[in-house]
Amino acid sequence: MTTARSAMTKLVLLKDLDSIIDFSRATNQFSIILYLAEKQQPVSITELSRAIGDSRKSILDSLRKLERKGLIARVDQEDDLYVGLSEHGREFVRRLIEVLTPVKTASDNILETPVRLNLSRELVLSINLYKLLVYVGLSKKGYATISEASKILVDAEKTLNILIESFTRSPTRFFKLIEKEGEKVLVLDKQGLEVLKKIPHYRLFNENRFYKLLVYLTGTPWLSEIQRTVNTILGVIIAVLSVGVFLAGYKWLVILGLITSLLLVVFNITLSKLGVSALG
């Protein structure tokens, strides 16, 4: 078990790494990085596709994104395209190992398969801990039901019980499991609040009224979900106004439509400047 302070440090570092690779969404990119870290030599796209279990087209798309981030280097050979980690990519993996696990590999340059699999599990657990802390801590009602927790977590079926078991007792008692209106709910304990106050979402929530308002209105702290919800609502309004203009021809409907479209653009620009990733 880690202390609250070390857990907070790891979560903040994880957030920094997540800004490079959005772990909860870019699973192929993460899998590729870990597979390449296991290898001493560049590997072919064919081998990567077979190892990751995805199509060559999907692997190439992920590789292009990783190359733009400077995490991989490509080597063109006659029979196939080969790729390996760049120095920046190897530094990324070293930081990830430091954040997620104390396990040390036999060599600085090799990430053995058992360690790679352990990292994957640790990563999912860390992502879920981050998401649960933010969701419970920023919730207007101040708690999350077990059902709500299951919906927001990555691979919740496997990790929810582990989170509850690991973080509702000392020395890492971040949550308390209590009963409210006949249902079990998770609330933050003192240590959990201490950790929450040090991570990016909490600071943004307290410093940015626009973000705070959006969290209360939409019921979610995640920018991708906020954006999807608001875009859907404004999109429906624009569509209704467009139909009204077509059927009735009122000029004021045109003006309202233009204002709503402008609000949609301003909203998305403002949201993009808030500075937190899709993880949290």
Side-chain angles (χ1 to χ4, degrees):
M1 290 290 184
T2 59
T3 64
R5 183 177 297 277
S6 64
M8 175 272 292
T9 302
K10 286 190 173 189
L11 286 172
V12 173
L13 288 173
L14 177 63
K15 172 65 175 60
D16 182 45
L17 293 173
D18 176 69
S19 67
I20 301 174
I21 294 181
D22 178 2
F23 297 123
S24 62
R25 294 177 180 272
T27 52
N28 259 8
Q29 293 179 45
F30 175 62
S31 298
I32 289 170
I33 286 292
L34 290 186
Y35 187 78
L36 293 178
E38 188 183 344
K39 303 296 180 180
Q40 289 182 296
Q41 302 295 330
V43 301
S44 69
I45 306 302
T46 301
E47 179 182 343
L48 266 180
S49 178
R50 184 172 60 250
I52 304 302
D54 208 341
S55 68
R56 184 182 179 91
K57 180 180 179 182
S58 179
I59 295 297
L60 284 170
D61 180 60
S62 295
L63 288 174
R64 280 191 291 270
K65 294 173 182 176
L66 289 171
E67 189 174 22
R68 284 198 297 269
K69 298 168 185 175
L71 296 175
I72 66 165
R74 65 168 67 197
V75 180
D76 291 309
Q77 297 188 16
E78 290 185 4
D79 61 327
D80 204 346
L81 172 65
Y82 285 70
V83 293
L85 288 182
S86 65
E87 186 55 41
H88 180 44
R90 293 198 176 278
E91 174 61 24
F92 178 89
V93 172
R94 282 194 288 269
R95 291 178 66 198
L96 189 60
I97 295 172
E98 179 185 348
V99 168
L100 296 179
T101 178
V103 175
K104 294 188 180 298
T105 58
S107 165
D108 288 340
N109 297 319
I110 302 175
L111 191 63
E112 296 171 347
T113 302
V115 179
R116 174 163 58 88
L117 295 175
N118 184 54
L119 272 178
S120 297
R121 289 191 293 268
E122 290 287 341
L123 178 64
V124 171
L125 189 63
S126 297
I127 289 173
N128 281 334
L129 176 58
Y130 188 105
K131 291 172 78 72
L132 197 56
L133 280 167
V134 171
Y135 187 86
V136 175
L138 303 192
S139 171
K140 191 174 182 179
K141 58 188 180 182
Y143 64 84
T145 65
I146 299 301
S147 175
E148 289 171 336
S150 298
K151 292 176 182 178
I152 67 169
L153 301 183
V154 179
D155 202 7
E157 186 176 345
K158 293 181 180 179
T159 58
L160 180 56
N161 287 336
I162 297 174
L163 277 176
I164 293 174
E165 180 72 18
S166 301
F167 296 99
T168 57
R169 60 182 64 186
S170 297
T172 50
R173 190 177 179 185
F174 294 173
F175 304 97
K176 287 187 291 187
L177 189 61
I178 64 173
E179 193 161 307
K180 193 174 183 68
E181 298 178 358
E183 189 174 9
K184 288 185 177 180
V185 302
L186 287 165
V187 297
L188 285 183
D189 199 8
K190 183 178 178 181
Q191 286 188 57
L193 183 59
E194 178 188 336
V195 173
L196 177 71
K197 287 179 178 179
K198 302 295 183 181
I199 58 181
H201 270 84
Y202 183 85
R203 293 198 299 269
L204 181 65
F205 185 79
N206 282 281
E207 295 169 3
N208 191 297
R209 292 181 180 178
F210 177 63
Y211 173 67
K212 189 172 187 176
L213 176 64
L214 289 174
V215 172
Y216 281 157
L217 290 177
T218 62
T220 177
W222 317 121
L223 291 188
S224 58
E225 294 180 7
I226 290 173
Q227 187 172 38
R228 183 165 56 248
T229 299
V230 176
N231 282 351
T232 299
I233 293 172
L234 292 179
V236 169
I237 293 173
I238 292 171
V240 170
L241 290 174
S242 298
V243 171
V245 170
F246 178 76
L247 295 178
Y250 295 128
K251 291 183 179 180
W252 62 270
L253 289 177
V254 176
I255 296 173
L256 281 179
L258 290 173
I259 292 173
T260 307
S261 298
L262 180 60
L263 284 175
L264 185 61
V265 172
V266 171
F267 166 76
N268 283 287
I269 292 174
T270 305
L271 207 64
S272 68
K273 294 180 179 180
L274 289 182
V276 289
S277 75
L279 168 63

